[in-house]
Amino acid sequence: MAKTETELLTVNINGVDRQAKPGMTVLDLTKDLGIKVPTLCHDPRLKPYGACRLCLVELEGARNPVPACATILGPGMVIRTDTEQIHRIRRTVIDLLLSDHPADCMTCEKCGACALQEYAYEYGVRRSSFKAGAKHTVRPQETDPFVARDLSKCILCGRCVRICDEVESAFAIDWIYRGFETQVSTAFGKSLKDTPCEFCGQCISTCPVGALTEAPALPGRTWETKKTLTTCAYCGCGCTLELHTKDNQIVKVASPVGVGTNNGNLCVKGRFGYQFINSPDRLTKPLIKKGGEFVEATWDEAIKIVSDKLGDIKAKHGADAIAGLASAKCTNEENFVFQKFMRAAVGTNNVDHCARLCHASTVTGLAMAFGSGAMSNSIDDLEGTDAILVIGSNTTEAHPVIGMSLLKPVRQKGAKLIVIDPRAIKLTKFADIWLAQKPGTDVAVLNGLMNVILSEGLVDEAFIAERTEDYEELKKILPAYTPEKVEEISGVPADDLRRAARLFAGAGSAAIVYAMGITQHTTGVDNVLTIANLAMITGNIGKPGCGVNPLRGQNNVQGACDMGALPNVYSGYQKVDDDAARAKFSDAWGVPMPEGIGLTVVEVMNAAADGKVKGLYIMGENPMLSDPDVGHVEEALEKLDFLVVQDIFLTETAALADVVLPGVTFAERDGTFTSTERRVQRVRRAIDPVGESREDWRIISDLSLAMGYPMSYDSASDIMTEIAALTPSYTGIGYSRIEGCGLQWPCPSVDHPGTPILHVGQFTRGKGKFHGIEFKPPAEESDVEYPMILTTGRLLNQYHTGTMTRRTAGLDEIYPVAAAEISPKDAKKYGLTDGDKVRLVTRRGQIEATALVTDKSRPGIVFMPFHFKEAAANRLTNPALDPIAKIPEYKVCALRIEKV
Amino acid sequence: MTPRIIVGLGSCGLAAGAKDVLAAIEAELAAKGVEAAVEQTGCIGLCYREVLVDVVTEAGKVTYGDVTPKAVTRIIQEHLIEGKPVEEMIVLSEERGSEAAFLAKQYRIVLRNCGLIDPENIDDYIAAGGYQSIEKVLKTMTPEAVIGEVKTSGLRGRGGAGFPTGLKWELTNKAAGDRKYIICNADEGDPGAFMDRGVLESDPHSVLEGMLIAGYAIGADESYIYCRAEYPLAIKRLNIAIKAAKERGYLGANIMGSGFNFNIKIKEGAGAFVCGEETALMASIEGQRGMPRLKPPFPATSGLWAKPTCINNVETFANISWILKNGGATYAAMGTEGSKGTKVFALTGKISRSGLAEVPMGMSLKEVIFEVGGGIKGDGEFKGVQIGGPTGGCLPAEVINTEVDYDSLTKIGATMGSGGMVVLDQSDCMVDLARFFLAFAQNESCGKCVPCRVGTKRMLEILERITKGEATEDELVTLKALAQDIKSASLCGLGQTAPNPVLSTLRYFQDEYLAHIRDGHCAAGVCAALTKVEISQKFCRQCAVCIRHCPSQAISGARHETTVIDQTKCTQCRICVATCPWDAIFVVSPRTAELVEPEREAVKEK
């Protein structure tokens, strides 16, 4: 503490000596001291700009007043914030701004939340004294989805332009013209749709006046709406949302600056993709299929049918003839209750969920190498890193807010970026080195990097000696992976590989970020183990700014795994084949736990197709679009004796069900989600359940009761208490502790502050384990009949199977069609131009899509998003599985294309 | 010797028709079979007498002014063939010439080679002693010694702010950075200022040499010249100079075997005045919109691409090689306590000798205007001088004895600025002048900060109302208060100085403002809304010339008929006033019913 005190400097503000930390601005200090200094162009997310001149303060010795937002405190500074001159200047600035501003507060969307309005009130500037002053010309701009631009209200604080550049790295808007006629504009006044705009809405979030507002504006100004803080239900970033609701409707989504890991930033889905919540398509009553048609039913009827049917199957064929798919979209509490229901009430370990399809290889691989299969470091930890290696992650589209965190050190602090990806994604534009490998050759490329690191003596010997074991295993296989050999396999130029290796190994701290480009392969576990090798060989694990950072794809896929919605583990990854764990849960739940590891997602489908699984309970998943080879999935589901689907919409899967139970969206329930950085965060009910829909845990509890296994929970919080009691990594987590910004597990006790970085000092499994992994080609390679490679993935503006995003008009407007991204070279070869219909054929099936000719794709590779039911990419994908993690190979299969 | 004929081919010469003169010379020499070397040079500063042609014979050199293609025949015939110089056309020669007084009081350091050497020929520059300073520096001096010499010279930045150059170099030299930059600010944008253009067009190597020395002194190996695209000739000559300097080993790697590397790139501006502001200029080089950034950090610590950057203007760099050659002390011997050396001024407006002049610091405004500049053109009366560009100040006759140096000018409400000097007489309206300069500043504001973007607009609106006689006296108070707030609250130098023309005219010419407001009277007859044009039937000879020239068909009548202006159609373009052969058309101030230019009556009588 003594050290900190000596570092403080003394300044004098308004006649009082104050202590300040070095590097603080005048504004930082006045905020801390509660001294009011008005600002318009300031946003803590942005670099100081000093344009509005409202925050000017007097600094002794300076010729002119200085901007508080940009003036770094120096020792002995004498500052006055409230002199007559300062007051006059502030009034003048407000007066001038009002002179060029329409006085239509009465009808302005921003009324009540407008900074200019507030300051005019505070400084008593009733109207501008420049009565006859001209207004700036508003040059025409085309209209846009989501963003309403009223440039007559613009005060040119520049926050939108800067946030689009500094935070979003989209560069969609800038200033045009000079002097009084200066205006913010897109290029040539075009619609934002025709610019690089990503519709994150950060510009709206930072606009201090009514120039930028949400479109369409739903009725309800700031004082009329209820505001509920909760956690976003799209990807795994775990962004804090502030739902503005009126009359049980969501009217706006915002995010307060300074709260949560996203700090006020959101992506297009989080900010604008909420229309599904109040969609007329929502299921509002239980449905029972009678004579091939759904008819509405009461909850009692529905619960009875489900419990009777499941009871029958169990009685006739045994509990293992029933399987359940939990949901990465639902809360921890619901997933916990779901797996408890399957294990305790039904009596089977046949419970799994879509994590199988995204990060099963991570969970397995990292458990083998480190002992724990989650993101090792934290999102904000990336900011302090020296180098980032991104492999198999289109971060700015699939995890947009993490994409921002990742680009910040690269663009503002000189951190180096290496991207390994077969496609020219946005990140490659900012990369120091981009290695474009052939899909499915990741092990070769990573081994190649380590070959160079080893041969050039860049390994961290001390770390290896102290923290790891089996290094010899790795050392044995590396010599074969010379850069030249790797170039042959992967197409990555040998010299680029060398440069990348030196850059990565030479950095003080280097983080590895990856996602489904690594995991969704038949070599998924191999890929993950190889990444773990690379982190360990360079000592980049267990300290700030580094680590192995798998990005989880759904809001609560981390939590669903943590909760034991997996066939081999209970909550907290306690193994079902561990006798002590089985005894513990049998004891806690008062019934003997089933023996043996259950079936995984794809195995469930196969077993259903084979008639071994007869009853299936699906909560909030849509395998009819999300699973590989959906033709096969359809056959399997149709073969079931009984299918119950619990969802918010009548999805493609629900349509096949015998009973459909209406669940609720995240906006209608309490609970917690665990984000990709292991942060357990609150989900709070903002509106009442739509129609007769019910929170999923209540449905399961009722069903369980009907099946003779009562569960009595009064609230989601009750469930968390049980989770904490049974799950070592969640022991210290309770609602009272996570009201603020949540807690990162492991949190083993109620006074534990949570764990931002895993494997500090020691790995979860003790020593980090190296594995010698040889390159194996993908299950299916291109050949004469199928000469191209298909790879699939996500788009920024759509999500998963589209059930939520495709019910928001603007999202569909921005990216409306299922497009197959084809390189210009291939387009020429097949006589295709942009917008042509193209048929994609694989050994599993065929679809028709629209050709999108783009440099993003390299010759020989076609990319296809999997969100669109009208051209379901998963009719084409290969269900070949990783032998250990049982994850299918979504990322590579052989393809033929034909012009339609 | 073979006689040499040297044509002044600066922008001023070209504008006056030097190309045609050059062609005429070549044609005439060929036609007459006279042998002479035809060469080019830049601008010596006598812009008002262009086209200038030097004729160098064994008898010496004479300079002819106002040369036309027609005059060429005579010059070649009389001077070259007959050996008799055309005396009445000589503007300069060794012992005589009508314009000798223009040069007599000048001391030319920056302009030392201008109009004397061929700017496109590096050998001319070398022959004039060029590149000796960089050789001396590289072979005998440490960077610290170079900086010491510049500090001794007392040289201050000639771009306008007057920051001590040696100190700037020292700060940049000491700033930590793996890479440093030199930038030459050649974005000269003040209306009526063309000092830098003169140097770039007439002696580009002197700027390159100054930059080289600066690069060595601060440890930079890369540099930019940011030159406005409106100076195509300057850019062309800079490119020629850079290429030649590279070929001779003055630029590039390992210069003169010293191990010092230095390269210069040219970045053309895109027409924004504010890009002359150093931080906006650097943003522009980086490919950003030219908008000023906050200072601190200053460029010396974080400039171009956030690297330490030394940015000086053209004139500053053009001083450097002279200082290194002759010593800082020699330079410091000239000038005043706080302002050393010389300053180049662009003399324009109602002055006899409009052109470029370089005088020692400390010379009085009166000497500059009346002795160097030859006083007021025609029979006008000196009213004031606008000094320091659009953001400088407007000074009246009362302060004409003020010394020209940074501090004295600031004291009386003007600034040195970059060196524009617009001389005004009674036909200039000070309110309109302030309006003009403020309109310029408003148009050129980058739009970033509120006081400059909106504040200058509101000031301009008040000024416009004054020039239309619509303003109240209260608005003068608002104008003044707003001007003060803009000065103290604006982000960059442009906004902080934009109100200066208004404040200085309010200070020295408030009566004129009041006359506009109270009486609707514009004494200079400039403000169109307060004046009308009328034909004096007393002087009119009914020649109908005005009727032919009026673009608005506002004049009725015909030859030998009474001629009358229809005030509803008249746009006050005043073409009729200028073209009337009898000076019978007058500008009248309707509210006072007074002829604005009654002195013409006397002239008319003859």
Side-chain angles (χ1 to χ4, degrees), chain A residues 97-121:
Chain A
L97 284 172
L98 289 179
S99 76
D100 189 27
H101 193 82
D104 62 355
C105 299
M106 310 283 194
T107 54
C108 182
E109 273 302 315
K110 195 78 173 197
C111 185
C114 169
L116 183 60
Q117 190 186 42
E118 184 189 323
Y119 292 137
Y121 175 76

Side-chain angles (χ1 to χ4, degrees), chain A residues 49-53 56 64-65 70 88-89 92 96-97 99-100 130 133-134 155-156 175-180 182, chain B residues 271-272 289 294 442-451 453-455 457-458 461 482 485 487-491 496:
Chain A
Y49 192 60
C52 72
R53 316 309 282 173
L56 291 185
N64 283 329
R88 197 192 64 237
I89 287 175
T92 299
L96 288 171
L97 284 172
S99 76
D100 189 27
F130 305 99
I155 58 166
L156 284 177
W175 289 274
I176 57 167
Y177 301 104
R178 282 201 292 265
F180 188 66
T182 308
Chain B
R289 174 180 162 100
L294 290 165
Q442 157 59 214
N443 277 330
E444 296 297 340
S445 163
C446 78
K448 181 169 176 175
C449 77
V450 178
R453 182 184 75 244
V454 189
K457 176 73 176 177
R458 299 299 169 235
E461 286 169 345
L482 185 53
D485 284 344
K487 261 179 94 79
S488 45
S490 289
L491 188 149
Q496 286 162 11

Side-chain angles (χ1 to χ4, degrees), chain B residues 326-450:
Chain B
N326 298 286
T330 317
Y331 191 83
M334 248 176 300
T336 63
E337 182 62 33
S339 307
K340 302 298 185 189
T342 61
K343 177 76 193 88
V344 181
F345 288 100
L347 306 176
T348 58
K350 308 289 163 53
I351 194 164
S352 296
R353 302 190 187 110
S354 55
L356 283 186
E358 182 175 359
V359 298
M361 289 282 190
M363 185 182 267
S364 73
L365 278 171
K366 190 174 182 178
E367 279 175 284
V368 176
I369 295 165
F370 285 90
E371 297 187 26
V372 178
I376 300 300
K377 189 158 59 180
D379 46 17
E381 194 184 316
F382 178 76
K383 183 173 180 182
V385 56
Q386 164 72 19
I387 180 165
T391 58
C394 200
L395 302 173
E398 299 99 271
V399 296
I400 195 152
N401 287 318
T402 307
E403 288 181 341
V404 173
D405 74 12
Y406 290 100
D407 313 309
S408 313
L409 288 174
T410 308
K411 233 175 273 166
I412 55 172
T415 62
M416 177 78 87
S418 57
M421 213 180 255
V422 184
V423 177
L424 310 165
D425 70 5
Q426 294 310 326
S427 66
D428 292 303
C429 168
M430 301 318 246
V431 182
D432 186 64
L433 185 88
R435 184 203 56 78
F436 169 81
F437 280 117
L438 196 72
F440 179 85
Q442 157 59 214
N443 277 330
E444 296 297 340
S445 163
C446 78
K448 181 169 176 175
C449 77
V450 178

Side-chain angles (χ1 to χ4, degrees), chain A residues 359 361-367 370-378 512 514 528 541 547-552 558-559 561-562 573 674-679 745-746 756-759 764:
Chain A
H359 270 295
S361 22
T362 296
V363 175
T364 314
L366 292 187
F370 302 153
S372 168
M375 183 164 169
S376 69
N377 289 44
S378 303
I512 305 173
Y514 74 88
V528 171
I541 184 105
V548 171
N549 301 289
L551 304 180
R552 308 302 301 255
Q558 181 66 53
C561 291
D562 296 347
Y573 307 96
T674 303
S675 75
T676 190
E677 60 166 1
R678 300 170 277 106
R679 188 180 295 277
W745 67 256
I757 304 176
L758 295 178
H759 316 305
T764 311

Side-chain angles (χ1 to χ4, degrees), chain A residues 44 91 119 203 306 345 361 386 389 425 486 563 673 721 770 781 799 802 826 867 898:
Chain A
R91 280 184 58 96
Y119 292 137
C203 52
V306 176
S361 22
D386 298 320
L389 169 71
I425 53 176
V486 170
M563 291 305 106
F673 292 155
T721 308
F770 281 103
E781 292 190 279
Y799 184 76
D826 290 327
H867 311 295
E898 294 159 2

